[in-house]
Amino acid sequence: MHCYYHNNEKAIISCENCNLNLCIECHHSEHKELCWVCGLEKREGIAIPKNGKVFKKDRQFLNMLIISTLLSAIFAFIGHIYFQIIFYNDSYLKDSSIYLITLALTLIYSIPVILLCKNKYWFVSFVILILYFLFTLLFIPLFSGFLPKEDNPGAGILIILIQGSNIISILLGLVLGHIVNLIRYLRMKFNEELNVLERDH
């Protein structure tokens, strides 16, 4: 990972405001957690042009909301696929396979959280859980055509079981992803402090 401004220098920190990777020379002197642009904006209380555009703090919040909405739709789609697989292969319910599937989905769901939910609005990602129910309902007409036409009382119980399992996987994936991001952030801060100490000595 290299500095945004100096391609030959290794980045030691990411700006907490705009997520640009920075080397030891490129963070703001007063606000070391920020790049010089965001640090100047914070000090002066004004919007600073960045790459020809006015930098907007609210854009990060909006981006996180859009990402969370898209992930919610994807996770709801996966939930319906999950139900279809179990409905036509009920042997998965007779052993520990469903627990392994839940674990696998947890790991899968944590990946986009680790990669995409790293800024200061990380908590917005929990909107996924709320929107999940909406997208699950919206996808019902799409998937209902794949089910048998005759009444099947067991299908109702099964969909509650499968959707409940998927929601648990999403929640665990969110928690796991944010724990990983927290560990990475703390390690980055430690390395930054270490580099500052080495430079001072």
Side-chain angles (χ1 to χ4, degrees), residues 74-84 109 132 162-163 166:
I74 293 170
F75 293 170
F77 188 86
I78 292 174
H80 278 287
I81 297 294
Y82 184 12
F83 170 74
Q84 295 286 334
Y109 293 155
Y132 176 84
I162 297 306
Q163 292 297 343
N166 200 39

Side-chain angles (χ1 to χ4, degrees), residues 181-198:
N181 282 340
L182 176 61
I183 293 172
R184 292 170 65 186
Y185 173 77
L186 292 175
R187 187 179 66 178
M188 180 184 69
K189 297 296 283 186
F190 175 78
N191 288 336
E192 178 192 3
E193 294 296 330
L194 191 63
N195 285 330
V196 170
L197 289 173
E198 290 177 350

Side-chain angles (χ1 to χ4, degrees), residues 66-94:
I66 292 171
I67 289 170
S68 299
T69 302
L70 292 175
L71 289 177
S72 182
I74 293 170
F75 293 170
F77 188 86
I78 292 174
H80 278 287
I81 297 294
Y82 184 12
F83 170 74
Q84 295 286 334
I85 292 173
I86 300 299
F87 184 83
Y88 289 105
N89 299 274
D90 59 356
S91 60
Y92 289 118
L93 295 173
K94 298 176 183 178

Side-chain angles (χ1 to χ4, degrees), residues 127-141:
V127 170
I128 292 172
L129 292 170
I130 300 172
L131 296 178
Y132 176 84
F133 295 99
L134 174 63
F135 284 111
T136 297
L137 292 174
L138 290 175
F139 287 146
I140 286 177

Side-chain angles (χ1 to χ4, degrees), residues 14 16 20 28 42 45 48 70 77 79 83 95 100 103 106 112 118 129 141 144 154 160 164-165 173 188 190 192 195:
S14 295
E16 289 185 359
L20 290 182
H28 194 269
K42 182 174 181 178
I48 304 299
L70 292 175
F77 188 86
F83 170 74
D95 52 32
L100 295 176
L103 176 60
T106 296
K118 297 184 291 185
L129 292 170
S144 59
I160 292 173
S165 172
M188 180 184 69
F190 175 78
E192 178 192 3
N195 285 330

